Amino acid sequence: MTFGNDKQAITHRERLVVIGNGMAGCRAVEEILARDPGRYAIAIFGAEPRVNYNRIMLSPVLAGEKAFDDIVINSAEWYAQNGIELIAGDPVEQIDRATQTVIARSGRVEPYDRLLIATGSDPFIIPVPGRKLPGVVTFRDLDDVDRMLAAAEKGGSAVVIGGGLLGLEAAHGLSLRGMAVTVIHLMPTLMERQLDEAAGWLLKAELERRGQTILTGADTAEIIGKDGPDGECVAGVRLKDGREIAADIVVMAVGIRPATALAKAAGLDVERGIMVDDHMITSDPAIMAVGECVQHRGTCYGLVAPLWDMCRALAGHATGAPSGYTGSVTSTKLKVSGIDLFSAGDFSGGEGAEDIVMRDAARGAYKRVIVRDGKLVGAVLYGDTADGSWYFDLLRKGEDVSAIRDALIFGQAFASGGALADPNAAVAALSDDAEICGCNGVSKATVVATIRQGACSLDAVRSQCKASASCGSCTGLVESLLRLTLGDEIEAGPKTLCKCTSFSHDDVRRLILEKELKAIPQVLQELHWSTADGCSSCRPALNYYLLCAWPGEYEDDQQSRFVNERLHANIQKDGTYSVVPRMWGGITSPQELRAIADVVEKYDAPMVKVTGGQRLDIFGIRKEDLPAVWADLNAAGMVSGHAYGKSLRTVKTCVGSEWCRFGTQDSTGLGVKIERMTWGSWMPHKFKIAVSGCPRNCAEATIKDFGVVCVDSGYELHVGGNGGIKVRATDLLCKVATEEEALEVCAAFVQLYREQAHYLERTAPWIERVGLAAVKAGLFDDPGAVRRLAARFRHSQQFMQDDPWARRAAGEDAELHRHLAEVRPMEFAQ
Ligand SMILES: Cc1cc2nc3c(=O)[nH]c(=O)nc-3n(C[C@H](O)[C@H](O)[C@H](O)COP(=O)(O)OP(=O)(O)OC[C@H]3O[C@@H](n4cnc5c(N)ncnc54)[C@H](O)[C@@H]3O)c2cc1C
Ligand code: SF4
């Protein structure tokens, strides 16, 4: 099968023949073309009968998250446009260095001036009896995926031998395809080359929770066969301890070996891999090699990131501008939806190494960084990988981290003293050569240059420099770079929930209910998300939509919340926190004031401020003091004021008829009742309420999301006000005669907003989008609507009104850990 150029063109220029149409071979050609497009007549031989694709995305293809077309890197048009002849499905079987020719399986003989070997790796097959039985497969190319999919279609069970990155991604895919999966791993913990024992244990627990059987310390003795309709086939695996596990398919994913057979037979220097120098030249100056098949300075790599640097060095040499490759530091991410895992560098410890560990087993989060001689040498993150790029950048640069050593474990925002709590600022602080997209080897400088050259949307960046075009885990970083580089000129995409899906917010909310989707991974899977784990835009939205749809059933995913919501406090510019206890309706007591004063003195808080919502905000609390501050405030009967959340903030009141001579109703009393009814409820955005005792409106009820203005004959209920950047006065919703009716309509309106607004949409833009008439119709057209909406709100509130501070008072420490997230004190282990 050939695509592209005709033989004629190949004979006129220097002939470059590439063996291996994979990730390294094609990237090397791309780099050469970018430097000197006319220099070579290029022919590429590929053993696989197809164009070049992103091999690392085979896992999402197996899991059903991507189709083959989505993962093609170089289409047939690319070969044609660049005058490249692709000879696909015809492996090279011999290199004749004397005649400078290669001979393919078809008998085709191709002369070369320069030869590039990019044959990748061969999967390692453990030499046990039964390894050749039909039904035993490896995981290296699309044909392997097709074999696994064919087995999964029939159902049954699968055994995956190997609990490393490949094995676990194969197990995840087969499990999502409906097979009962057992993973057999020789070592005591999973992914032991990338993860330490603690993270390996967390990973195992999570996979078991998802229904996989994980056998560690398990040594395969034999693959057992049975008679099938077409002869003998696989029946299962026998372990050395005698256990037998039945299987309809056995996937061998125990490792890879550089594919060196051709080079060895041609007499090139080969050890574990094909020996190359810093310009990727083999022991024959006319032959270069690149990718997983090479050994450079004693190292063979099994990940894509080193390939990009190797290919740049190779192209420099091949086009007469040599630069040189000195080796790579690598990092790993596991592409299993819902499992955030990052590992980089050396975590073996050793002499002089200092471990800094933070763990939160209840929340399933674990972080470990290793410092040696003042430099970061390794990082293992499980459960929260947001700082992976930052750690990796520090590690690659070998920067001195002594000055930020104590804050290092808390990540970039903390280490910068809070100045980088904003994710945009954190991305701005990354160096130009920091790697943004690991799948495609794209640096920050390249993304920024692409944006400056006119790529004004995520899609444009994806198509022009490939950043975020593969696994999607760097989408948040690319979005931040777009915001930083373009400000307001950023082009809004179509009105989809985010770039990971073509569904709108409304579609997603509807489908969550229709399909009874009750977990984020299930939504991503069932609604065919384009990314394995979603992104920083969709995960918080999905978490909210699921909480709203399934109160009491869906378990809040703390990892999908914004940082202030995870910390239950507002981080300030200097890295300290502000704490706002709730004061119902703005009323306080000597006991509460005393408790607040005691906290201020005891924890040396530099400022207490009355907020616009009539609460007391205690500033300058150190993160390590937060739990104790909360406990002290709790002891005085106070709960969290949720001053940080997409939730009810405050109910502001005036003194009303009890004290004011103009007052028409008990506005403070009603405000207290409303706050007790609505506190703790998660909403699409922050929500503010006020109650004024007469139309003089001292509580400013007409710029709140829900405002009550008391009048002689009852209560005017107002909605959709906003006092922020864009001030908007409320619309009058209705007038009611009694307090009970006011409470009922308030509950119904809040629930309508919760059920219908898009995540991060305040009531003002929501009402402007759908129209006041639609909101009124939703509440009043059907006489039972208010009652039903209010009932749904009250039902949901049973599960929402749990104060994280009160949990501590009740001694539920495990729960507290979930809520405290990163603010738990550090645990140092030497
Ligand atoms: C399922 C899977 C998931 C992965 N996930 C990740 C990940 O998340 N992160 C990461 O960094 N890396 C990952 N990798 C590893 C990554 O894919 C490799 O590092 C990368 O593909 C190596 O590129 P390469 O060009 O050296 O080899 P390949 O991409 O394998 O290309 C080699 C090509 O050469 C062809 N070939 C071999 N011999 C001949 C011959 N004699 N004649 C003609 N053609 C020949 C092969 O058929 C193949 O197409 C994953 C790999 C797999 C299989
Ligand atoms: S709003 Fe009316 S009732 Fe309330 S304090 Fe002001 S004047 Fe008095």
Side-chain angles (χ1 to χ4, degrees):
M1 193 186 312
T2 63
F3 303 91
N5 202 9
D6 55 30
K7 190 86 188 280
Q8 181 90 38
I10 296 179
T11 53
H12 283 106
R13 287 170 281 161
E14 252 189 298
R15 281 170 309 219
L16 171 66
V17 171
V18 182
I19 309 176
N21 183 41
M23 297 190 73
C26 287
R27 180 64 167 242
V29 170
E30 282 182 0
E31 293 281 351
I32 291 172
L33 292 174
R35 285 166 175 74
D36 192 351
R39 180 162 187 139
Y40 293 101
I42 302 172
I44 304 180
F45 282 87
E48 296 180 65
R50 52 186 71 91
V51 293
N52 174 39
Y53 58 93
N54 192 339
R55 195 170 304 283
I56 77 174
M57 299 308 283
L58 286 176
S59 304
V61 171
L62 176 65
E65 292 156 355
K66 296 262 180 193
F68 177 70
D69 285 350
D70 301 327
I71 70 166
V72 166
I73 300 179
N74 301 104
S75 64
E77 292 74 48
W78 176 82
Y79 295 91
Q81 280 160 9
N82 289 290
I84 297 165
E85 187 177 15
L86 170 62
I87 305 121
D90 194 6
V92 170
E93 292 196 328
Q94 193 192 334
I95 301 168
D96 186 339
R97 288 167 58 198
T99 58
Q100 297 215 164
T101 52
V102 299
I103 301 135
R105 181 171 295 167
S106 64
R108 176 175 178 146
V109 179
E110 194 68 44
Y112 66 83
D113 296 308
R114 288 197 184 204
L115 180 66
L116 170 57
I117 306 177
T119 44
S121 295
D122 296 320
F124 180 65
I125 311 276
I126 41 174
V128 289
R131 65 187 178 280
K132 293 192 177 149
L133 283 170
V136 179
V137 300
T138 54
F139 189 16
R140 183 71 197 174
D141 60 25
L142 188 70
D143 296 332
D144 292 329
V145 172
D146 285 343
R147 281 188 270 273
M148 285 189 250
L149 291 179
E153 221 160 68
K154 295 185 204 142
S157 53
V159 165
V160 176
I161 305 179
L165 182 123
L166 274 195
L168 296 184
E169 291 186 359
H172 172 66
L174 290 169
S175 171
L176 285 182
R177 296 282 183 175
M179 297 194 92
V181 178
T182 303
V183 176
I184 294 175
H185 191 53
L186 182 62
M187 305 306 284
T189 55
L190 296 174
M191 287 184 73
E192 74 288 345
R193 289 174 63 193
Q194 290 89 11
L195 300 183
D196 62 3
E197 210 176 66
W201 180 84
L202 284 169
L203 177 60
K204 177 170 182 272
E206 174 58 23
L207 294 173
E208 284 171 341
R209 199 186 63 74
R210 291 171 177 218
Q212 294 178 25
T213 305
I214 311 284
L215 304 178
T216 48
D219 199 356
T220 305
E222 179 186 357
I223 296 172
I224 321 160
K226 66 176 179 200
D227 287 334
D230 307 317
E232 200 186 9
C233 64
V234 75
V237 173
R238 180 175 301 120
L239 300 178
K240 286 202 174 145
D241 62 13
R243 275 180 292 177
E244 283 186 11
I245 303 115
D248 301 292
I249 183 169
V250 172
V251 182
M252 282 250 195
V254 288
I256 50 172
R257 298 280 179 275
T260 57
L262 262 183
K264 209 181 244 173
L268 296 176
D269 287 354
V270 173
E271 285 182 355
R272 270 184 307 134
I274 305 168
M275 308 279 278
V276 290
D277 67 7
D278 288 357
H279 304 286
M280 314 316 293
I281 306 169
T282 67
S283 51
D284 178 339
I287 304 180
M288 303 170 287
V290 73
E292 281 187 353
C293 62
V294 308
Q295 179 175 329
H296 172 262
R297 296 193 185 184
T299 304
C300 298
Y301 295 96
L303 293 167
V304 287
L307 311 186
W308 318 133
D309 295 333
M310 287 183 194
C311 289
R312 278 190 281 273
L314 178 143
H317 161 73
T319 56
S323 54
Y325 170 67
T326 52
S328 301
V329 182
T330 55
S331 66
T332 312
K333 284 178 187 163
L334 183 70
K335 301 185 294 299
V336 170
S337 14
I339 299 186
D340 293 325
L341 183 160
F342 172 91
S343 144
D346 171 18
F347 57 87
S348 57
E351 202 169 322
E354 188 185 12
D355 276 356
I356 308 171
V357 177
M358 185 175 82
R359 58 180 105 232
D360 187 346
R363 195 173 60 90
Y366 171 81
K367 275 185 175 186
R368 177 170 171 213
V369 297
I370 297 97
V371 176
R372 193 183 293 130
D373 299 329
K375 291 179 182 162
L376 184 70
V377 295
V380 179
L381 313 179
Y382 183 94
D384 178 1
T385 54
D387 282 306
S389 304
W390 181 64
Y391 287 127
F392 191 48
D393 202 28
L394 288 177
L395 201 144
R396 283 193 315 139
K397 296 249 162 56
E399 275 177 18
D400 191 335
V401 293
S402 315
I404 54 167
R405 184 244 176 257
D406 286 353
L408 197 59
I409 194 76
F410 292 110
Q412 191 178 15
F414 293 85
S416 65
L420 300 180
D422 168 10
N424 289 345
V427 175
L430 288 177
S431 61
D432 279 353
D433 62 349
E435 186 178 82
I436 297 295
C437 174
C439 297
N440 295 298
V442 191
S443 67
K444 177 182 163 187
T446 306
V447 176
V448 171
T450 307
I451 297 168
R452 291 209 174 113
Q453 281 157 20
C456 295
S457 67
L458 185 62
D459 281 344
V461 173
R462 280 177 175 162
S463 69
Q464 288 176 37
C465 72
K466 296 187 183 142
S468 153
S470 296
C471 81
S473 62
C474 64
T475 300
L477 292 176
V478 175
E479 284 172 339
S480 289
L481 286 174
L482 273 161
R483 276 191 292 274
L484 280 168
T485 317
L486 296 177
D488 291 342
E489 287 165 41
I490 199 168
E491 275 175 20
K495 292 268 176 222
T496 56
L497 192 151
C498 74
K499 294 291 181 188
C500 309
T501 177
S502 53
F503 287 117
S504 66
H505 284 262
D506 293 331
D507 289 336
V508 172
R509 299 200 79 165
R510 177 178 51 78
L511 290 164
I512 282 175
L513 291 170
E514 271 177 28
K515 292 175 168 260
E516 300 201 8
L517 306 177
K518 298 192 177 175
I520 291 179
Q522 202 188 0
V523 175
L524 305 187
Q525 172 69 15
E526 292 287 318
L527 303 188
H528 308 292
W529 239 242
S530 67
T531 49
D533 297 324
C535 68
S536 56
S537 299
C538 59
R539 284 194 78 96
L542 292 178
N543 188 49
Y544 168 71
Y545 291 155
L546 289 163
L547 265 177
C548 181
W550 310 112
E553 282 185 71
Y554 172 69
E555 195 177 334
D556 196 351
D557 178 19
Q558 290 291 304
Q559 282 308 106
S560 297
R561 286 196 170 275
F562 293 117
V563 64
N564 282 348
E565 289 184 354
R566 297 212 302 267
L567 299 174
H568 290 283
N570 272 320
I571 189 165
Q572 302 297 323
K573 243 165 78 167
D574 63 353
T576 62
Y577 293 83
S578 87
V579 171
V580 183
R582 195 166 285 287
M583 287 177 178
W584 309 101
I587 299 174
T588 186
S589 66
Q591 190 204 10
E592 286 182 354
L593 290 173
R594 236 175 251 122
I596 291 173
D598 287 346
V599 161
V600 171
E601 282 183 357
K602 185 168 164 190
Y603 300 97
D604 214 11
M607 183 164 89
V608 186
K609 166 94 179 59
V610 179
T611 70
Q614 300 177 331
R615 304 297 183 265
L616 288 176
D617 197 345
I618 311 167
F619 280 87
I621 299 293
R622 290 176 293 273
K623 62 179 175 295
E624 59 272 25
D625 289 337
L626 278 170
V629 167
W630 296 348
D632 287 1
L633 293 170
N634 251 187
M638 283 183 270
V639 297
S640 162
H642 292 87
Y644 43 77
K646 311 279 173 249
S647 59
L648 175 80
R649 292 290 177 87
T650 57
V651 179
K652 186 173 180 176
T653 60
C654 76
V655 290
S657 59
E658 211 179 324
W659 296 95
C660 177
R661 61 203 167 98
F662 299 112
T664 61
Q665 313 283 351
D666 177 11
S667 49
T668 36
L670 177 57
V672 171
K673 286 179 193 154
I674 291 179
E675 188 156 358
R676 291 215 177 262
M677 177 179 78
T678 49
W679 78 281
S681 55
W682 294 112
M683 313 242 197
H685 210 304
K686 62 186 172 189
F687 195 98
K688 298 180 179 180
I689 299 180
V691 187
S692 285
C694 83
R696 287 172 182 78
N697 194 13
C698 294
E700 298 160 339
T702 49
I703 52 164
K704 301 296 180 199
D705 295 279
F706 186 84
V708 183
V709 176
C710 304
V711 289
D712 285 331
S713 54
Y715 305 83
E716 286 176 3
L717 306 183
H718 296 253
V719 293
N722 195 336
I725 295 175
K726 200 172 157 201
V727 179
R728 182 183 193 271
T730 46
D731 296 308
L732 178 64
L733 182 69
C734 63
K735 198 174 150 194
V736 295
T738 66
E739 242 188 32
E740 288 67 36
E741 287 170 301
L743 283 162
E744 190 79 343
V745 174
C746 174
F749 174 77
V750 168
Q751 185 65 8
L752 191 73
Y753 168 62
R754 295 182 73 235
E755 291 180 2
Q756 293 195 355
H758 298 168
Y759 188 65
L760 297 187
E761 190 174 42
R762 289 284 301 265
T763 53
W766 169 57
I767 290 175
E768 283 180 2
R769 178 169 62 83
V770 300
L772 181 67
V775 174
K776 284 185 172 177
L779 288 165
F780 308 123
D781 274 7
D782 172 349
V786 165
R787 187 178 35 79
R788 284 196 301 274
L789 281 161
R792 286 210 289 281
F793 179 67
R794 292 205 173 90
H795 170 73
S796 141
Q797 282 297 83
Q798 292 173 47
F799 309 101
M800 299 285 173
Q801 294 188 327
D802 65 337
D803 172 42
W805 305 356
R807 282 170 181 274
R808 185 182 171 104
E812 293 176 32
D813 273 344
E815 280 299 305
L816 176 73
H817 293 169
R818 268 168 26 115
H819 287 276
L820 284 184
E822 288 90 345
V823 296
R824 286 201 60 221
M826 277 188 280
E827 293 170 23
F828 295 104
Q830 286 294 357

